[in-house]
Amino acid sequence: MNRLVEFTTEDGAVVVVESADTVGGAKLVSRGDGPAVQATRTFEGALDGVRAAARSALRVFRDGSLRPDSVEMEFGVKLSAEAGAVIAKGAAEGQLVVRLTWSSERPADG
């Protein structure tokens, strides 16, 4: 059953997201539109793992011999009261889309 999870930002704003997880790692709170759970960490804290994964993946694709002019990454992210943010499984086996582009105007490596 999908639940509403309330995350509080570092600025004190409340972000409500839909989560398919159980209530573990959160406390039940009352809202005008029904019951929700309150996450035990901030919204920014929940996204820390995804940020670290993006930073690491960006380093892999920017460093080395490929040297693209542009790297674009797309993560599917699922928010959970207990686990925070996790990279979500999509229609394919995993959910990470990477696009590398090179400019045709770039001089050839000599």
Side-chain angles (χ1 to χ4, degrees):
M1 175 180 181
N2 290 352
R3 309 271 266 155
L4 296 179
V5 179
E6 289 185 353
F7 288 91
T8 303
T9 68
E10 291 172 354
D11 297 333
V14 175
V15 178
V16 180
V17 298
E18 186 177 33
S19 175
D21 72 344
T22 58
V23 180
K27 64 181 182 176
L28 191 60
V29 295
S30 177
R31 293 182 47 85
D33 55 352
V37 293
Q38 189 170 41
T40 56
R41 62 175 87 181
T42 65
F43 184 68
E44 293 86 353
L47 293 171
D48 279 344
V50 176
R51 179 179 32 211
R55 187 180 304 123
S56 180
L58 187 59
R59 187 173 43 249
V60 166
F61 292 112
R62 280 199 170 154
D63 296 344
S65 61
L66 289 177
R67 297 185 178 204
D69 292 326
S70 173
V71 177
E72 181 180 328
M73 291 184 291
E74 179 181 319
F75 289 88
V77 177
K78 183 184 292 187
L79 291 167
S80 160
E82 188 171 311
V86 295
I87 298 172
K89 181 178 177 179
E93 282 302 306
Q95 185 61 23
L96 171 61
V97 177
V98 179
R99 290 179 189 85
L100 307 176
T101 59
W102 291 265
S103 170
S104 60
E105 299 169 6
R106 192 168 95 176
D109 292 339

